[in-house]
Protein backbone atom coordinates (compact mmCIF):
# COMPACT_ATOMS: atom_id res chain seq x y z
CA UNK A 1 0.00 0.00 0.00
CA UNK A 2 2.80 2.44 0.84
CA UNK A 3 4.44 1.86 -2.51
CA UNK A 4 1.18 2.49 -4.35
CA UNK A 5 0.59 5.68 -2.37
CA UNK A 6 4.03 7.00 -3.20
CA UNK A 7 3.53 6.29 -6.90
CA UNK A 8 0.12 7.99 -6.85
CA UNK A 9 1.57 11.03 -5.10
CA UNK A 10 4.31 11.27 -7.70
CA UNK A 11 1.75 11.12 -10.50
CA UNK A 12 -0.37 13.83 -8.87
CA UNK A 13 2.72 16.04 -8.41
CA UNK A 14 3.64 15.59 -12.07
CA UNK A 15 0.13 16.48 -13.20
CA UNK A 16 0.11 19.58 -10.99
CA UNK A 17 3.41 20.73 -12.51
CA UNK A 18 2.06 20.19 -16.03
CA UNK A 19 -1.04 22.20 -15.11
CA UNK A 20 1.09 25.05 -13.79
CA UNK A 21 3.13 25.17 -16.97
CA UNK A 22 0.04 25.06 -19.19
CA UNK A 23 -1.92 27.73 -17.33
CA UNK A 24 1.07 30.06 -17.14
CA UNK A 25 1.09 30.20 -20.93
CA UNK A 26 -2.33 31.87 -20.95
CA UNK A 27 -1.46 34.43 -18.25
CA UNK A 28 -0.42 37.86 -19.49
CA UNK A 29 1.51 39.48 -16.65
CA UNK A 30 4.11 38.16 -14.25
CA UNK A 31 4.83 40.10 -11.09
CA UNK A 32 6.76 39.95 -7.86
CA UNK A 33 5.16 41.34 -4.73
CA UNK A 34 6.52 41.29 -1.17
CA UNK A 35 4.38 40.39 1.81
CA UNK A 36 5.40 43.73 3.38
CA UNK A 37 6.96 46.80 1.77
CA UNK A 38 8.45 48.29 4.96
CA UNK A 39 10.20 46.03 7.49
CA UNK A 40 12.77 46.21 10.30
CA UNK A 41 16.39 45.18 9.80
CA UNK A 42 16.85 41.41 10.10
CA UNK A 43 13.47 40.49 8.61
CA UNK A 44 13.17 37.20 6.76
CA UNK A 45 11.07 38.44 3.84
CA UNK A 46 8.71 36.35 1.69
CA UNK A 47 7.73 37.39 -1.84
CA UNK A 48 5.21 35.75 -4.14
CA UNK A 49 5.99 35.36 -7.83
CA UNK A 50 2.87 34.78 -9.89
CA UNK A 51 1.35 35.20 -13.35
CA UNK A 52 -2.18 36.20 -14.19
CA UNK A 53 -4.67 38.67 -15.58
CA UNK A 54 -6.18 39.95 -12.33
CA UNK A 55 -3.47 41.87 -10.46
CA UNK A 56 -2.83 41.67 -7.52
CA UNK A 57 -4.51 38.27 -7.16
CA UNK A 58 -2.18 35.26 -7.21
CA UNK A 59 -3.33 33.04 -10.07
CA UNK A 60 -0.64 30.83 -11.62
CA UNK A 61 2.74 29.81 -10.26
CA UNK A 62 5.96 30.11 -12.23
CA UNK A 63 7.78 26.84 -12.83
CA UNK A 64 10.98 27.11 -10.71
CA UNK A 65 13.15 25.79 -13.55
CA UNK A 66 12.25 28.91 -15.57
CA UNK A 67 13.98 31.28 -13.17
CA UNK A 68 17.22 32.57 -14.65
CA UNK A 69 17.95 34.98 -11.78
CA UNK A 70 16.23 35.95 -8.51
CA UNK A 71 18.23 38.70 -6.83
CA UNK A 72 18.12 41.32 -4.08
CA UNK A 73 20.34 44.40 -3.87
CA UNK A 74 20.68 46.05 -0.46
CA UNK A 75 23.41 48.23 0.99
CA UNK A 76 25.55 47.92 -2.14
CA UNK A 77 25.50 44.11 -2.12
CA UNK A 78 23.61 41.87 -4.56
CA UNK A 79 22.72 38.34 -3.45
CA UNK A 80 20.39 35.60 -4.71
CA UNK A 81 16.98 34.94 -3.20
CA UNK A 82 15.96 31.47 -2.06
CA UNK A 83 13.12 29.54 -3.74
CA UNK A 84 10.96 27.98 -1.07
CA UNK A 85 7.35 27.05 -1.73
CA UNK A 86 5.52 26.28 -4.95
CA UNK A 87 1.75 26.05 -5.15
CA UNK A 88 -0.73 26.23 -7.98
CA UNK A 89 -0.98 30.01 -7.53
CA UNK A 90 2.50 31.28 -6.70
CA UNK A 91 6.17 30.51 -6.29
CA UNK A 92 7.44 31.86 -2.99
CA UNK A 93 10.89 33.42 -2.73
CA UNK A 94 12.67 34.38 0.49
CA UNK A 95 15.56 36.58 1.55
CA UNK A 96 16.95 37.96 4.81
CA UNK A 97 17.25 41.75 4.88
CA UNK A 98 20.22 42.20 7.20
CA UNK A 99 20.91 45.93 6.87
CA UNK A 100 19.03 49.20 6.54
CA UNK A 101 18.27 50.70 3.14
CA UNK A 102 16.14 50.23 0.05
CA UNK A 103 16.06 46.61 -1.09
CA UNK A 104 15.65 46.28 -4.85
CA UNK A 105 14.33 42.82 -5.72
CA UNK A 106 14.05 41.35 -9.18
CA UNK A 107 13.67 38.15 -11.17
CA UNK A 108 14.48 37.23 -14.77
CA UNK A 109 12.81 34.28 -16.47
CA UNK A 110 14.26 32.09 -19.21
CA UNK A 111 12.69 32.30 -22.68
CA UNK A 112 9.55 30.34 -23.45
CA UNK A 113 7.56 29.84 -26.67
CA UNK A 114 3.80 29.97 -27.19
CA UNK A 115 1.27 30.13 -30.01
CA UNK A 116 -1.78 32.40 -29.97
CA UNK A 117 -5.20 32.03 -31.57
CA UNK A 118 -6.64 34.94 -33.60
CA UNK A 119 -8.83 35.99 -30.65
CA UNK A 120 -5.88 35.90 -28.26
CA UNK A 121 -3.78 37.93 -30.69
CA UNK A 122 -6.31 40.77 -30.75
CA UNK A 123 -6.57 40.90 -26.96
CA UNK A 124 -2.79 40.83 -26.62
CA UNK A 125 -2.12 43.61 -29.14
CA UNK A 126 -4.73 45.82 -27.53
CA UNK A 127 -3.38 45.28 -24.03
CA UNK A 128 0.25 46.09 -24.82
CA UNK A 129 -0.52 49.02 -27.14
CA UNK A 130 1.13 47.35 -30.12
CA UNK A 131 2.23 49.44 -33.10
CA UNK A 132 -0.22 49.97 -35.98
CA UNK A 133 2.23 48.19 -38.31
CA UNK A 134 1.80 44.98 -36.27
CA UNK A 135 -1.97 45.35 -35.94
CA UNK A 136 -2.26 45.68 -39.72
CA UNK A 137 -0.87 42.16 -40.14
CA UNK A 138 -3.58 40.73 -37.90
CA UNK A 139 -6.83 42.60 -38.70
CA UNK A 140 -9.71 42.05 -36.29
CA UNK A 141 -12.23 39.46 -37.42
CA UNK A 142 -9.88 37.91 -39.97
CA UNK A 143 -7.44 35.04 -39.83
CA UNK A 144 -3.92 36.34 -40.11
CA UNK A 145 -0.60 34.51 -40.33
CA UNK A 146 0.62 32.15 -37.63
CA UNK A 147 1.64 33.65 -34.29
CA UNK A 148 4.48 31.79 -32.63
CA UNK A 149 6.30 33.92 -30.05
CA UNK A 150 9.35 33.49 -27.85
CA UNK A 151 9.02 35.66 -24.75
CA UNK A 152 11.06 36.56 -21.69
CA UNK A 153 9.94 38.26 -18.51
CA UNK A 154 11.52 40.59 -15.96
CA UNK A 155 9.80 41.61 -12.70
CA UNK A 156 10.93 44.05 -10.01
CA UNK A 157 9.81 45.46 -6.66
CA UNK A 158 11.13 47.35 -3.62
CA UNK A 159 11.16 46.88 0.14
CA UNK A 160 12.22 49.56 2.62
CA UNK A 161 14.34 48.21 5.47
CA UNK A 162 14.74 50.09 8.74
CA UNK A 163 15.46 53.82 8.57
CA UNK A 164 17.63 54.84 5.64
CA UNK A 165 16.18 58.03 4.19
CA UNK A 166 19.49 58.89 2.53
CA UNK A 167 19.56 55.66 0.47
CA UNK A 168 18.80 56.56 -3.16
CA UNK A 169 19.77 53.20 -4.65
CA UNK A 170 16.19 52.82 -5.89
CA UNK A 171 17.14 55.04 -8.86
CA UNK A 172 20.01 52.72 -9.90
CA UNK A 173 18.94 50.20 -12.60
CA UNK A 174 18.98 46.54 -11.62
CA UNK A 175 20.63 45.80 -14.95
CA UNK A 176 17.95 43.56 -16.44
CA UNK A 177 17.35 43.66 -20.19
CA UNK A 178 14.09 45.61 -19.88
CA UNK A 179 13.09 47.59 -16.79
CA UNK A 180 11.27 50.54 -15.31
CA UNK A 181 13.37 52.71 -13.01
CA UNK A 182 11.68 55.21 -10.65
CA UNK A 183 12.73 58.84 -10.84
CA UNK A 184 10.51 59.58 -7.83
CA UNK A 185 11.37 58.08 -4.44
CA UNK A 186 9.09 55.00 -4.20
CA UNK A 187 8.88 55.47 -0.43
CA UNK A 188 6.96 58.71 -0.85
CA UNK A 189 4.44 57.83 -3.58
CA UNK A 190 0.99 59.11 -2.64
CA UNK A 191 -2.36 58.79 -4.37
CA UNK A 192 -3.00 61.54 -6.91
CA UNK A 193 0.64 62.58 -7.29
CA UNK A 194 2.45 62.66 -10.64
CA UNK A 195 5.17 60.01 -10.57
CA UNK A 196 8.07 59.70 -13.03
CA UNK A 197 9.86 56.58 -14.30
CA UNK A 198 12.40 55.85 -17.02
CA UNK A 199 11.95 52.84 -19.29
CA UNK A 200 15.24 51.16 -20.23
CA UNK A 201 15.97 48.58 -22.91
CA UNK A 202 19.48 47.12 -22.59
CA UNK A 203 20.32 50.06 -20.35
CA UNK A 204 19.19 52.75 -22.81
CA UNK A 205 16.05 54.93 -22.59
CA UNK A 206 13.17 53.79 -24.80
CA UNK A 207 11.31 56.82 -26.20
CA UNK A 208 7.67 57.05 -27.30
CA UNK A 209 6.83 53.62 -25.92
CA UNK A 210 3.51 52.50 -24.36
CA UNK A 211 3.56 51.57 -20.69
CA UNK A 212 0.49 50.18 -18.95
CA UNK A 213 -0.44 50.43 -15.31
CA UNK A 214 -3.07 48.73 -13.21
CA UNK A 215 -3.99 48.89 -9.52
CA UNK A 216 -5.95 46.74 -7.16
CA UNK A 217 -8.76 49.31 -7.33
CA UNK A 218 -8.90 49.73 -11.12
CA UNK A 219 -8.62 46.45 -12.99
CA UNK A 220 -8.91 47.68 -16.58
CA UNK A 221 -5.66 49.66 -16.47
CA UNK A 222 -4.46 52.40 -18.84
CA UNK A 223 -1.66 53.09 -21.32
CA UNK A 224 0.70 56.09 -21.25
CA UNK A 225 3.66 56.72 -23.56
CA UNK A 226 7.17 57.66 -22.56
CA UNK A 227 8.52 60.95 -23.87
CA UNK A 228 11.51 61.48 -26.16
CA UNK A 229 13.88 60.68 -23.29
CA UNK A 230 12.16 57.46 -22.28
CA UNK A 231 10.50 59.12 -19.28
CA UNK A 232 7.01 58.16 -18.20
CA UNK A 233 4.88 60.53 -16.15
CA UNK A 234 1.73 59.06 -14.66
CA UNK A 235 -0.69 59.87 -11.85
CA UNK A 236 -0.56 57.45 -8.92
CA UNK A 237 -3.89 55.67 -8.32
CA UNK A 238 -5.75 55.24 -5.04
CA UNK A 239 -3.73 53.95 -2.11
CA UNK A 240 -2.79 50.28 -2.39
CA UNK A 241 -0.91 47.94 -4.68
CA UNK A 242 0.09 49.26 -8.10
CA UNK A 243 1.82 47.67 -11.07
CA UNK A 244 3.44 49.20 -14.16
CA UNK A 245 4.02 46.97 -17.19
CA UNK A 246 5.61 47.21 -20.62
CA UNK A 247 6.05 44.73 -23.47
CA UNK A 248 8.44 45.08 -26.38
CA UNK A 249 7.44 43.02 -29.40
CA UNK A 250 9.67 42.61 -32.45
CA UNK A 251 10.59 40.28 -35.27
CA UNK A 252 13.08 37.56 -34.27
CA UNK A 253 16.58 36.98 -35.49
CA UNK A 254 16.99 35.11 -38.77
CA UNK A 255 17.02 31.33 -38.60
CA UNK A 256 14.56 30.91 -35.73
CA UNK A 257 11.25 29.07 -35.90
CA UNK A 258 9.27 31.89 -34.31
CA UNK A 259 7.31 34.77 -35.81
CA UNK A 260 7.85 37.18 -32.93
CA UNK A 261 10.00 37.66 -29.87
CA UNK A 262 9.18 39.78 -26.85
CA UNK A 263 10.33 40.90 -23.45
CA UNK A 264 8.02 41.92 -20.62
CA UNK A 265 8.85 44.20 -17.68
CA UNK A 266 6.75 44.77 -14.56
CA UNK A 267 7.33 46.95 -11.51
CA UNK A 268 5.15 46.70 -8.41
CA UNK A 269 4.83 49.48 -5.86
CA UNK A 270 2.76 50.45 -2.87
CA UNK A 271 0.85 53.76 -3.03
CA UNK A 272 0.27 55.64 0.20
CA UNK A 273 -2.87 57.52 1.16
CA UNK A 274 -2.81 61.17 0.10
CA UNK A 275 -2.18 63.66 2.90
CA UNK A 276 -5.29 65.58 3.85
Amino acid sequence: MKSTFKKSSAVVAALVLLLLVATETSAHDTWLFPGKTAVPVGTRLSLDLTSGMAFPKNEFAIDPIRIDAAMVRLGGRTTPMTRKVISKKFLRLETTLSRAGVATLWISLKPKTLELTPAQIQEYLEEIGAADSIRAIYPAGKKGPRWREEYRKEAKSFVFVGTADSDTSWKIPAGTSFELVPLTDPRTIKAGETISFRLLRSGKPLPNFPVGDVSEHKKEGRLTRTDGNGILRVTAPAAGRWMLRATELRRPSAGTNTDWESVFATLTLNVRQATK
Side-chain angles (χ1 to χ4, degrees):
M1 288 296 292
K2 290 183 179 180
S3 176
T4 301
F5 178 77
K6 287 181 179 179
K7 289 181 180 179
S8 298
S9 298
V11 170
V12 170
L15 289 173
V16 168
L17 183 57
L18 285 172
L19 176 62
L20 295 179
V21 173
T23 51
E24 182 195 333
T25 301
S26 63
H28 287 190
D29 291 310
T30 296
W31 62 86
L32 183 68
F33 211 94
K36 296 181 178 179
T37 55
V39 299
V41 174
T43 295
R44 182 68 176 173
L45 181 75
S46 294
L47 304 95
D48 289 348
L49 178 62
T50 189
S51 284
M53 298 172 63
F55 175 82
K57 180 182 176 182
N58 284 340
E59 291 191 278
F60 305 112
I62 298 296
D63 184 348
I65 66 174
R66 287 199 58 217
I67 295 183
D68 191 36
M71 310 299 292
V72 54
R73 183 183 66 208
L74 177 62
R77 295 179 57 191
T78 299
T79 55
M81 289 188 277
T82 304
R83 308 166 200 176
K84 294 294 289 184
V85 178
I86 183 171
S87 74
K88 290 193 295 183
K89 294 187 176 182
F90 60 84
L91 172 64
R92 181 153 291 163
L93 305 174
E94 291 191 349
T95 185
T96 299
L97 302 173
S98 58
R99 61 190 68 192
V102 178
T104 302
L105 308 110
W106 71 90
I107 61 96
S108 296
L109 299 184
K110 297 174 184 176
K112 188 172 182 178
T113 302
L114 59 74
E115 291 192 30
L116 297 181
T117 66
Q120 290 172 329
I121 292 170
Q122 293 303 316
E123 179 184 14
Y124 180 34
L125 296 181
E126 182 68 24
E127 184 178 276
I128 68 174
D132 291 341
S133 58
I134 298 176
R135 293 172 186 260
I137 303 172
Y138 300 90
K142 296 182 181 180
K143 184 177 180 179
R146 183 191 72 165
W147 187 291
R148 184 173 174 82
E149 176 186 349
E150 181 184 84
Y151 65 93
R152 294 180 296 106
K153 292 190 173 183
E154 317 274 8
K156 187 167 74 171
S157 193
F158 297 102
V159 171
F160 315 120
V161 189
T163 302
D165 294 340
S166 61
D167 185 356
T168 59
S169 61
W170 46 266
K171 64 175 66 174
I172 301 172
T176 58
S177 64
F178 196 42
E179 68 174 311
L180 284 150
V181 180
L183 300 180
T184 304
D185 190 335
R187 289 170 292 199
T188 65
I189 295 175
K190 295 179 182 178
E193 292 183 337
T194 298
I195 311 300
S196 299
F197 304 85
R198 178 170 277 117
L199 180 62
L200 301 178
R201 178 70 169 97
S202 299
K204 298 180 180 179
L206 196 55
N208 191 31
F209 196 89
V211 177
D213 75 294
V214 62
S215 77
E216 61 179 306
H217 305 294
K218 196 170 183 180
K219 306 301 183 182
E220 63 269 21
R222 56 185 171 179
L223 283 170
T224 308
R225 287 189 173 271
T226 60
D227 66 13
N229 296 312
I231 295 176
L232 174 77
R233 294 178 177 85
V234 62
T235 302
R241 290 169 287 185
W242 187 28
M243 179 174 71
L244 291 98
R245 57 192 182 189
T247 303
E248 185 186 35
L249 185 64
R250 58 181 182 270
R251 287 297 191 182
S253 304
T256 63
N257 189 32
T258 56
D259 309 296
W260 300 95
E261 63 180 22
S262 63
V263 58
F264 291 68
T266 59
L267 172 62
T268 55
L269 299 160
N270 189 60
V271 179
R272 298 166 57 188
Q273 188 70 43
T275 304
K276 294 183 180 180

